[in-house]
Amino acid sequence: MTYEEAVDYILKIPRFTKKNKPEHTRRFLTYLGNPEKERKVLHVAGTNGKGSVCIYLSTMLLAQKKTVGLFVSPHLVKMNERIILNGRQISDETFLGLFECVMEKVEEMQKEGLPHPTFFEFLFGMAMTAFGRAGVEYIVLETGLGGRLDATNSIEKPLVTAITSIGLDHTAILGDTVEKIAFEKAGIIKPGVPVFYSDTCEKSNHVIEKRASKLGAPCKKIGKDAYEILGIQDKHIAFSCVNAYYGDTAWTLNNIGIYQPGNAYLAMEIMRLIFDRDGLTDLWRKALSQVKWEGRMEEVLPGVYVDGAHNISAVENFVRSVPDKEEGNIILFSAVRDKEYEEMIACLCRNLKTDFYVLIPIEDERAAPMEELQHIFRKYTDKPVFIRESLAEALQFVLENQQHREIYCLGSLYLAGMMKALINCY
């Protein structure tokens, strides 16, 4: 079998299997030899920011010479992005070897009448196998969807859990209120295991704190007043911490996302719990300043940024992150049908100085129709709204008309991945 054949098989899994409960994932891990055992697991859930918190945690652990396995989702360009060993995504050769190992165990499961793992379960099994083989000390896990019923929640005794900001997303699956979504995210909290969470709103905070109290889990809220943003300069954002533990030196992130200091501080507090020793903050500060997290306010070409914002709370944070300049911006946008894209569009049009918008079809069967998106944009703006048949055509168009303006690409993770893949061809 080739690497391409393995990827194609995994992509076809959703066609012939259904959602399984965490109990099934635990059985799956047993067939794999429980590679997660004896590892220190940091488990992160949330609507927005969980991937960033995971990469910050992994980076700080690596700075301390720890061995780390990082499992994140979704991938933007290549499936290997989901499985990262000691700071490097696995090679095609390693990916294929893991696939063949896991496939062998899946066939054993099916012979004994157990369901085939889902797309996400299969990749999770591959990741755990990779981390077990490598003998890593720490595993940083990003929840796929929700938390309570997610495959990653099969880990029964993590070292710590974390819940990032909560907003309305995947409402058809997770619920149509902040409280319902918070309940699903809080499902990762385990008895006696410390949980850190971002202060989003009273409604979600109450759900998380109630769950933590019921399970006897030490609970710490990371409030918005725990840090102060000092400013954005040279495409970096600087912030200071209120807690004296971190001193009065500024912390800098290689990003302009106004939301990233909160994610970084959440990760820092988790590290402080695990390693409460002097002399580590300088190490963490240097490590965090070097993090480049793809698809999160990432500059992919001069003046061209890709952001994975694909729900209303993420778009609100995106708008707050765009520097206020005399020139208007240029927006490349697309969305999938199951998102609240009218709210996203309204937020963009009402709050961001934009000279024109360009809509691009994304390569997914759930793509929202371009004409419908154009109609919605025209409800909220009198600026030109163009449709282009391909991303390549759209990118050429905006670059030819860029002048001194910034270009931002957002609305869908599929679009972010398409843009990354296209830029890689330049």
Side-chain angles (χ1 to χ4, degrees):
M1 177 173 276
T2 66
Y3 168 81
E4 290 75 18
E5 288 170 336
V7 169
D8 185 60
Y9 179 89
I10 295 171
L11 288 172
K12 289 177 179 175
I13 290 175
R15 300 179 189 176
F16 59 81
T17 191
K18 59 180 178 62
K19 175 74 175 175
N20 296 313
K21 295 181 179 179
E23 291 78 11
H24 178 270
T25 312
R26 281 192 277 272
R27 290 287 302 275
F28 179 34
L29 291 174
T30 300
Y31 275 84
L32 296 174
N34 289 118
E36 80 287 358
K37 296 294 186 184
E38 310 306 322
R39 318 284 167 214
K40 298 170 184 175
V41 176
L42 284 61
H43 192 191
V44 184
T47 303
N48 296 309
K50 56 185 181 293
S52 297
V53 170
C54 285
I55 195 72
Y56 291 144
L57 286 168
S58 174
T59 300
M60 286 187 283
L61 287 167
L62 289 169
Q64 290 183 217
K65 308 299 182 186
K66 304 298 182 182
T67 53
V68 186
L70 171 63
F71 178 64
V72 293
S73 63
H75 62 276
L76 294 180
V77 180
K78 197 169 184 179
M79 211 173 277
N80 306 40
E81 297 169 27
R82 295 171 180 253
I83 305 173
I84 303 174
L85 264 174
N86 295 320
R88 293 179 177 271
Q89 65 177 257
I90 59 171
S91 66
D92 292 357
E93 181 182 9
T94 300
F95 187 99
L96 178 58
L98 292 167
F99 172 85
E100 290 174 339
C101 172
V102 171
M103 195 66 226
E104 181 181 328
K105 299 302 179 182
V106 168
E107 289 170 353
E108 290 181 18
M109 291 172 61
Q110 289 186 293
K111 286 178 182 177
E112 296 182 25
L114 292 171
H116 191 291
T118 63
F119 170 90
F120 188 78
E121 272 184 301
F122 199 103
L123 287 165
F124 176 61
M126 287 176 59
M128 294 301 103
T129 301
F131 303 154
R133 285 180 175 180
V136 300
E137 183 179 359
Y138 289 88
I139 294 176
V140 182
L141 280 184
E142 178 185 2
T143 303
L145 176 64
R148 183 174 63 92
L149 299 177
D150 191 71
T152 58
N153 208 27
S154 58
I155 304 298
E156 298 181 272
K157 190 68 175 178
L159 181 65
V160 65
T161 61
I163 301 172
T164 63
S165 66
I166 292 174
L168 296 177
D169 197 12
H170 300 291
T171 52
I173 300 171
L174 303 179
D176 57 1
T177 67
V178 169
E179 295 96 326
K180 290 176 181 177
I181 292 175
F183 174 79
E184 294 298 326
K185 309 294 184 185
I188 71 166
I189 300 173
K190 301 294 188 301
V193 175
V195 56
F196 292 76
Y197 77 93
S198 296
D199 178 14
T200 302
C201 67
E202 281 301 319
K203 291 178 180 179
S204 60
N205 293 352
H206 176 71
V207 172
I208 293 167
E209 290 170 359
K210 182 178 179 181
R211 178 67 177 170
S213 176
K214 181 178 180 180
L215 295 177
C219 182
K220 182 166 185 178
K221 177 173 69 176
I222 305 301
K224 298 178 178 68
D225 57 351
Y227 58 90
E228 179 183 358
I229 295 175
L230 303 176
I232 298 173
Q233 189 173 13
D234 297 328
K235 299 171 184 177
H236 289 67
I237 190 167
F239 67 100
S240 62
C241 305
V242 174
N243 194 310
Y245 178 83
Y246 300 105
D248 56 5
T249 306
W251 294 65
T252 304
L253 301 175
N254 189 3
N255 197 288
I256 63 170
I258 205 79
Y259 46 85
Q260 288 296 7
N263 293 328
Y265 190 83
L266 175 60
M268 289 156 57
E269 284 292 271
I270 292 171
M271 292 292 290
R272 187 157 75 97
L273 172 76
I274 302 171
F275 307 100
D276 191 4
R277 300 201 306 270
D278 293 333
L280 291 177
T281 54
D282 287 341
L283 198 65
W284 298 344
R285 184 182 293 110
K286 182 178 179 181
L288 290 179
S289 70
Q290 297 171 349
V291 172
K292 291 186 177 180
W293 189 218
E294 294 190 5
R296 280 72 173 178
M297 272 299 191
E298 178 190 9
E299 189 174 23
V300 293
L301 288 173
V304 181
Y305 294 83
V306 172
D307 191 83
H310 60 284
N311 55 55
I312 182 58
S313 53
V315 170
E316 288 171 347
N317 280 328
F318 162 80
V319 167
R320 292 171 55 223
S321 300
V322 174
D324 188 16
K325 295 184 177 181
E326 285 188 22
E327 302 91 352
N329 303 290
I330 299 171
I331 296 293
L332 293 172
F333 186 87
S334 197
V336 293
R337 288 193 304 270
D338 57 0
K339 299 294 181 179
E340 300 293 335
Y341 50 78
E342 180 158 358
E343 290 184 47
M344 294 159 61
I345 291 169
C347 180
L348 287 173
C349 295
R350 289 167 175 164
N351 300 290
L352 199 62
K353 186 178 179 181
T354 303
D355 285 348
F356 65 89
Y357 304 85
V358 182
L359 307 179
I360 315 106
I362 55 177
E363 299 163 357
D364 188 85
E365 59 186 16
R366 296 184 298 135
M370 293 297 97
E371 292 75 13
E372 181 179 344
L373 293 178
Q374 186 181 52
H375 173 71
I376 295 171
F377 266 100
R378 286 175 172 164
K379 286 171 58 177
Y380 297 98
T381 182
D382 57 2
K383 298 295 184 180
V385 183
F386 302 103
I387 293 177
R388 290 295 180 265
E389 294 305 314
S390 71
L391 180 57
E393 182 186 348
L395 183 59
Q396 181 180 353
F397 173 68
V398 296
L399 289 176
E400 289 173 351
N401 293 278
Q402 183 175 10
Q403 299 173 355
H404 299 293
R405 295 174 290 208
E406 307 282 21
I407 298 169
Y408 295 97
C409 177
L410 75 153
S412 165
L413 286 167
Y414 294 102
L415 180 59
M418 287 167 56
M419 177 66 90
K420 291 284 294 180
L422 179 60
I423 295 300
N424 291 343
C425 296
Y426 269 57

